[in-house]
């Protein structure tokens, strides 16, 4: 029976794929595209966009590619993600200065501040020790978002997690503990020593961030203040012990500008981005729900937030820097919920595609990468077109039970029933929150330690090649945009103006 299924499904290749001419022609077309890259794009990058898939290891990218294709009725393997279309790919080494397998805080400091750091710390060097407030001072490091702001660019942060979560916080905060989300999460000693919570730093360290969108409302409001969307629900109430209302303070700071604070999708989409100077969007008390469970009436998609952000930021003639995080990929994997994680990845890829339509490869450097991987994989000799959330086409030759293609090295999916491995055919392994089986039982699955991909396109994207330390990324982006360090090369560019590939210049003359 298993063999017959394998034969049946393995013939899903199209008729054209049986002809060697199909593969040879496709390879020749790819070769011509590769040869065209010999004319390097050395323009100055007016705009910079960093897409960060939190926990988006290479196995996640591959599985999401297959899912994207299967959602469109195809077998999936041949599908291209938007990030797959980027001409340059490199690998990043993700370790923290004190950790072989990294966390999202130390890695964020690397790809935003250009400096590797200890796990659990954001915006500080490795001389700072997690949880020790007094090691903050003198060890602060600044991010490319600040470099861009100091250079006159507009800047923005968009995330599906809390805006004061590990990834976005390294863009503006200097904190020895990523968990200090508001003053309620901080020890008294740290407060007495003058350390500030991350939510407060969001509005004080770089007080003029032009666009902020994500979750995390409760960390901005006084303790026990009811949430506007979930009134009376204690877990969603404000957390701040200092009694400050950071949203009202933000409004007051920008009262002479055209600013908007929004907390739901309807209000966001009603805004005309051309008439906005600054925007703060806090759509959930904590993190966003998974995209598969998103309330489309109240929560915008990541793609919708990215589109609005770009339309606001691009009005600045000096250009912009935008950090976009698909943050719940990581959460899906931690919970062993591969379906949630992969749908989050597909949505991130959709946002990447939308950003590409709103910008130009000639003046916008776009980088897509991950902070770390997960112990997630799929295999089992599955045939072409096998449903990515389906079973492998065989039984285990040890316990004679079926198994799903997707598996985790560790995590909450470890299940023993009557002393033996659970029979997955007896459960609904296709449901959204199914927890794929794991080899080792843990309440939460862990990160993985292997390198992650860096996809890039636009000015100076060719500098992201080979295997690099993760902290190299913002240095390339800053070099491309003539901000931060390494600006001597910009003088010749300013004299000549932006340089376009010869083929494009010729086409412009013909026009």
């Amino acid at each position: 029976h298993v063999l017959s299924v394998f034969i049946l499904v393995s013939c899903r290749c199209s008729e054209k794929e049986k002809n060697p001419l199909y593969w040879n022609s496709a390879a020749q077309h790819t070769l011509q595209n590769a040869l065209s890259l010999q004319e390097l794009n050395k323009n100055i990058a007016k705009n910079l966009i960093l897409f960060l898939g939190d926990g988006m290891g290479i196995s996640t990218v591959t599985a999401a590619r297959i899912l994207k294709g299967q959602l469109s009725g195809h077998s999936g393997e041949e599908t291209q993600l938007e990030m797959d279309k980027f001409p340059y790919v490199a690998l990043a080494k993700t370790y923290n200065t004190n950790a072989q397998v990294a966390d999202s805080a130390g890695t964020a400091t690397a790809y935003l501040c250009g400096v590797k750091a200890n796990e659990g710390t954001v915006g500080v060097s490795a001389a700072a020790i997690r949880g020790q407030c007094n090691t903050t001072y003198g060890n602060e490091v600044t991010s490319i978002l600040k470099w861009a702001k100091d250079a006159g660019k507009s800047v923005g942060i968009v995330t599906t997690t809390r805006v004061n979560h590990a990834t976005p916080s390294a863009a503006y905060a200097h904190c020895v503990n990523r968990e200090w989300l508001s003053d309620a999460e901080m020890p008294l000693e740290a407060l007495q020593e003058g350390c500030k919570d991350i939510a407060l730093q969001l509005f004080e360290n770089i007080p003029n961030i032009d666009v902020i969108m994500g979750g995390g409302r409760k960390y901005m409001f006084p303790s026990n203040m009811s949430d506007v969307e979930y009134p009376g629900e204690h877990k969603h109430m404000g957390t701040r012990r200092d009694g400050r209302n950071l949203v009202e303070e933000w409004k007051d700071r920008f009262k002479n500008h055209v600013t908007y604070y929004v907390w739901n999708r309807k209000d966001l989409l009603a805004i005309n981005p051309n008439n906005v100077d600054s925007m703060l969007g806090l759509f959930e008390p904590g993190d966003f729900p998974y995209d598969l469970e998103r309330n489309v009436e109240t929560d915008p998609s990541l793609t919708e937030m990215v589109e609005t952000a770009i339309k606001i930021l691009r009005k600045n003639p000096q250009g912009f820097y935008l950090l976009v995080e698909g943050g719940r990929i990581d959460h899906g994997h931690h919970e062993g919920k591969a379906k949630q994680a992969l749908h989050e990845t597909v949505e991130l890829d959709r946002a990447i595609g939308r950003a590409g339509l709103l910008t130009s490869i000639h003046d916008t450097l776009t980088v897509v990468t991950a902070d770390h991987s997960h112990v997630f994989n799929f295999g089992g000799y599955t045939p072409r077109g096998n449903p990515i959330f389906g079973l492998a086409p065989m039984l285990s030759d040890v316990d004679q039970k079926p198994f799903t293609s997707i598996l985790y090295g560790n995590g909450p999916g470890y299940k023993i029933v009557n002393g033996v491995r659970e029979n997955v055919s007896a459960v609904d392994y296709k449901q959204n929150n199914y927890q794929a089986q794991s080899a080792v039982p843990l309440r939460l699955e862990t990160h993985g330690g292997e390198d992650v991909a860096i996809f890039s396109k636009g000015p100076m994207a060719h500098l992201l090649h080979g295997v690099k330390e993760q902290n190299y990324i913002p240095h390339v982006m800053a070099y491309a945009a003539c901000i931060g360090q390494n600006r001597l090369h910009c003088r010749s560019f300013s004299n000549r103006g932006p340089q376009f590939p010869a083929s494009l210049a010729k086409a412009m003359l013909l026009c």
Side-chain angles (χ1 to χ4, degrees):
H1 171 71
V2 173
L3 181 60
S4 63
V5 170
F6 182 83
I7 293 173
L8 176 67
V9 182
S10 66
C11 292
R12 286 193 62 172
C13 63
S14 61
E15 286 301 313
K16 64 183 179 184
E17 289 182 347
K18 297 177 182 178
N19 187 339
L21 181 62
Y22 167 79
W23 297 106
N24 290 330
S25 298
Q28 287 297 314
H29 178 72
T30 303
L31 177 60
Q32 291 305 312
N33 285 339
L35 289 169
S36 71
L37 296 177
Q38 299 303 305
E39 296 180 5
L40 301 177
N41 181 347
K42 294 184 178 180
N43 298 344
I44 293 176
K46 176 182 177 183
N47 309 312
L48 301 168
I49 306 176
L50 177 64
F51 284 95
L52 193 285
D54 197 313
M56 188 180 69
I58 291 177
S59 56
T60 298
V61 172
T62 307
R65 177 190 304 135
I66 294 171
L67 173 60
K68 178 184 177 181
Q70 292 182 350
L71 289 172
S72 300
H74 304 292
S75 65
E77 299 84 0
E78 71 292 334
T79 301
Q80 271 196 311
L81 293 168
E82 294 299 325
M83 64 186 91
D84 291 339
K85 301 173 185 177
F86 284 30
Y88 300 99
V89 181
L91 293 176
K93 298 159 67 175
T94 63
Y95 68 92
N96 296 147
T97 48
N98 66 339
Q100 186 179 77
V101 178
D103 93 312
S104 297
T107 50
T109 305
Y111 62 74
L112 290 174
C113 303
V115 173
K116 287 229 173 190
N118 293 326
E119 59 86 28
T121 67
V122 292
V124 289
S125 72
I129 301 170
R130 183 171 186 171
Q132 293 188 22
C133 171
N134 61 3
T135 66
T136 307
Y137 310 112
N139 295 320
E140 300 92 341
V141 291
T142 58
S143 77
I144 187 171
L145 183 140
K146 188 174 191 310
W147 309 340
K149 191 66 181 177
D150 290 346
K153 296 184 184 295
S154 294
V155 296
I157 296 170
V158 174
T159 179
T160 52
T161 67
R162 293 152 280 179
V163 293
N164 50 345
H165 205 249
T167 295
S169 64
Y172 56 82
H174 312 290
C175 193
V176 292
N177 193 331
R178 58 176 286 182
E179 304 297 338
W180 291 354
L181 299 171
S182 75
D183 60 346
E185 288 78 31
M186 295 179 64
L188 181 60
E189 180 184 17
L191 291 169
Q192 292 173 338
E193 291 178 351
C195 279
K196 295 181 179 180
D197 63 87
I198 296 172
L200 186 59
Q201 292 190 55
L202 170 61
F203 297 105
E204 291 191 350
N205 288 4
I206 309 175
N208 50 356
I209 297 175
D210 302 276
V211 174
I212 303 169
M213 281 192 273
R217 270 197 309 261
K218 66 181 181 180
Y219 305 104
M220 315 302 168
F221 294 105
S223 177
N224 295 324
M225 179 176 172
S226 285
D227 184 73
V228 63
E229 187 176 359
Y230 309 99
E233 293 191 36
H234 189 268
K235 67 178 180 179
H236 296 314
M237 289 181 174
T239 65
R240 302 201 62 82
R241 291 175 180 168
D242 58 12
R244 295 176 66 170
N245 184 324
L246 300 184
V247 171
E248 289 301 320
E249 291 181 21
W250 179 87
K251 290 179 182 178
D252 290 341
R253 183 182 298 127
F254 289 103
K255 59 187 176 184
N256 295 325
H257 298 78
V258 182
T259 61
Y260 288 89
Y261 166 66
V262 293
W263 60 268
N264 62 72
R265 179 175 182 264
K266 179 182 177 182
D267 290 348
L268 174 69
L269 298 184
I271 290 173
N272 181 351
N274 296 319
N275 299 328
V276 179
D277 295 326
S278 302
M279 199 190 75
L280 173 63
L282 299 173
F283 301 101
E284 283 289 330
D287 299 321
F288 271 53
Y290 288 117
D291 196 62
L292 280 175
E293 300 167 354
R294 179 170 59 91
N295 183 333
V296 297
E297 298 295 322
T298 56
D299 291 327
S301 68
L302 181 61
T303 300
E304 289 168 340
M305 291 193 291
V306 166
E307 179 167 353
T308 301
I310 291 175
K311 287 180 176 178
I312 293 172
L313 297 172
R314 71 182 180 183
K315 300 195 304 293
N316 186 341
Q318 299 298 314
F320 65 84
Y321 173 88
L322 177 61
L323 168 64
V324 180
E325 182 196 20
R328 301 225 65 198
I329 301 168
D330 178 71
H331 296 170
H333 282 321
H334 278 310
E335 295 177 354
K337 299 173 181 178
K339 190 169 185 178
Q340 299 286 13
L342 295 185
H343 275 271
E344 292 294 310
T345 309
V346 171
E347 173 58 22
L348 174 66
D349 195 66
R350 191 163 75 98
I352 293 167
R354 186 67 55 85
L357 295 174
L358 295 168
T359 57
S360 167
I361 197 170
H362 301 298
D363 68 0
T364 302
L365 172 61
T366 304
V367 177
V368 180
T369 190
D371 45 359
H372 54 73
S373 186
H374 278 266
V375 290
F376 159 85
N377 220 317
F378 67 100
Y381 301 117
T382 46
R384 176 80 176 269
N386 197 74
I388 192 61
F389 303 117
L391 297 174
M394 63 184 76
L395 301 179
S396 164
D397 57 4
V398 175
D399 66 10
Q400 284 70 54
K401 288 185 173 63
F403 59 97
T404 54
S405 171
I406 285 174
L407 296 168
Y408 286 95
N410 58 50
Y414 179 92
K415 290 185 177 65
I416 297 296
V417 178
N418 296 324
V420 295
R421 182 172 66 90
E422 181 181 58
N423 188 334
V424 295
S425 62
V427 299
D428 183 4
Y429 53 81
K430 294 182 180 179
Q431 62 147 314
N432 291 352
N433 291 306
Y434 172 72
Q435 293 176 308
Q437 291 185 336
S438 68
V440 176
L442 288 176
R443 283 194 294 271
L444 290 175
E445 175 264 6
T446 72
H447 296 167
E450 73 271 23
D451 300 346
V452 297
I454 311 170
F455 307 88
S456 59
K457 68 175 180 178
M460 299 293 179
H462 56 279
L463 298 179
L464 287 163
H465 65 96
V467 180
K468 297 291 187 286
E469 296 285 1
Q470 195 169 39
N471 68 295
Y472 174 67
I473 295 171
H475 291 276
V476 169
M477 298 184 76
Y479 181 91
C482 292
I483 61 176
Q485 303 177 56
N486 306 115
R487 285 182 288 180
L488 290 176
H489 66 289
C490 306
R491 295 175 183 173
S492 59
F493 278 101
S494 62
N495 294 332
R496 291 183 288 151
Q499 302 299 299
F500 295 98
S503 57
L504 178 63
K506 183 178 180 182
M508 292 170 70
L509 289 172
L510 291 174
C511 291

